[in-house]
Amino acid sequence: MASAQVLAGFHAVVARLRHAPESIKDIYVEASRRDKRMLAFLEQAERAGRRVHPVSAERLDGLARGTRHQGVVALAEERLLAVDVDEVLDTIEGPALLLVLDGVTDPHNLGACLRTADAAGVHAVVAPRDRAVGLNSTVQRVACGAADTVPYITVTNLARTLRGLKERGVWVVGTDDQAAGSLHTVDARQPMAWVMGAEGEGMRRLTRETCDQLVNIPMLGSVESLNVSVASAVCLYESVRQRRE
């Protein structure tokens, strides 16, 4: 199958069965596992009309390519939720909310960011093509289905993309430990994009200079920074809080 994607674990496969069952070609399950969770999964796969192949645990290990699979692996077509940022903006009703990740290469962090983005109602997650992890099986598993609901768009030139967002009326806010103002000074009710840098390095210089506003996340304890997925959650839910008031 062209452009086959490996989905490993119950969360990733169940999410695809729920949102796009037709994209799943084959499902492989551990033949010896017959517990309640597996039986419920098999019923869901049968209702969706997907083929299920009982195989050995060793075969699943090979299919999952090192990702923890919990006894379930699916081969599916890759899903493209959006072609580019402009396509996303053209379809949004109300103020846009975007998450931009500059230099996040860890699949666990990306998966957690996608999961948070889905929960916070983010319209798309944007990342540079040359400094980002793709939607691999680990990302799919950690995202718990969010990789199938939130467009993940990679771009060749992040600074140029940010300038394009600004031209379309999107306020671009970067997070920086050294910024003078806190995230609570942002008017998050307007169309906006939160820009998060990689842990340690932070945003690249050109990305930082392209932002409309730089803010910090108040740190009251002894640690200097938050994990990027936690920092994303803090910022995104500031937008949620302001927009619900």
Side-chain angles (χ1 to χ4, degrees):
M1 179 175 53
S3 64
Q5 182 179 35
V6 177
L7 306 175
F10 283 103
H11 284 303
V13 180
V14 168
R16 183 63 67 88
L17 281 172
R18 185 182 303 119
H19 297 294
E22 71 286 348
S23 71
I24 294 180
K25 178 69 173 179
D26 290 287
I27 299 174
Y28 299 86
V29 300
E30 188 173 341
S32 61
R33 182 168 176 177
R34 304 295 293 177
D35 56 89
K36 183 182 297 185
R37 187 177 191 185
M38 179 63 78
L39 292 175
F41 171 79
L42 292 174
E43 290 181 5
Q44 184 173 358
E46 183 179 358
R47 288 195 303 270
R50 299 299 94 188
R51 289 186 294 182
V52 178
H53 308 280
V55 297
S56 66
E58 290 75 18
R59 177 77 187 283
L60 286 174
D61 291 341
L63 289 168
R65 304 170 187 173
T67 302
R68 186 164 60 90
H69 53 71
Q70 303 171 298
V72 176
V73 174
L75 299 182
E77 298 173 357
E78 290 194 35
R79 297 190 69 212
L80 298 176
L81 296 178
V83 176
D84 56 29
V85 177
D86 283 322
E87 181 183 339
V88 171
L89 295 177
D90 289 341
T91 60
I92 291 175
E93 295 183 4
L97 179 59
L98 306 175
L99 175 63
V100 179
L101 302 175
D102 185 18
V104 175
T105 58
D106 183 274
H108 293 87
N109 280 338
L110 175 58
C113 286
L114 287 168
R115 188 173 181 178
T116 298
D118 176 86
V122 168
H123 296 106
V125 175
V126 181
R129 190 163 294 145
D130 61 343
R131 282 171 55 95
V133 62
L135 294 181
N136 60 30
S137 55
T138 299
V139 174
Q140 292 275 349
R141 177 176 58 81
V142 176
C144 294
D148 285 325
T149 58
V150 180
Y152 178 64
I153 301 171
T154 56
V155 298
T156 56
N157 188 313
L158 186 60
R160 183 169 60 210
T161 298
L162 293 179
R163 288 193 292 269
L165 289 175
K166 294 163 68 171
E167 290 173 0
R168 296 200 55 170
V170 177
W171 188 250
V172 178
V173 181
T175 53
D176 188 324
D177 294 341
Q178 305 304 314
S182 82
L183 67 97
H184 302 297
T185 64
V186 176
D187 180 2
R189 296 166 296 180
Q190 63 186 319
M192 69 167 299
W194 287 102
V195 185
M196 318 298 297
E199 292 180 66
E201 298 179 10
M203 291 180 292
R204 288 175 291 180
R205 179 186 58 81
L206 192 55
T207 303
R208 182 184 296 105
E209 292 175 353
T210 309
C211 292
D212 291 304
Q213 183 178 0
L214 295 175
V215 298
N216 67 67
I217 298 176
M219 303 295 296
L220 306 182
S222 58
V223 298
E224 296 182 356
S225 63
L226 297 173
N227 173 282
V228 65
S229 62
V230 176
S232 297
V234 171
C235 294
L236 291 174
Y237 271 90
E238 174 63 13
S239 294
V240 172
R241 182 189 70 82
Q242 291 190 27
R243 293 180 183 200
R244 288 175 64 93
E245 286 184 348

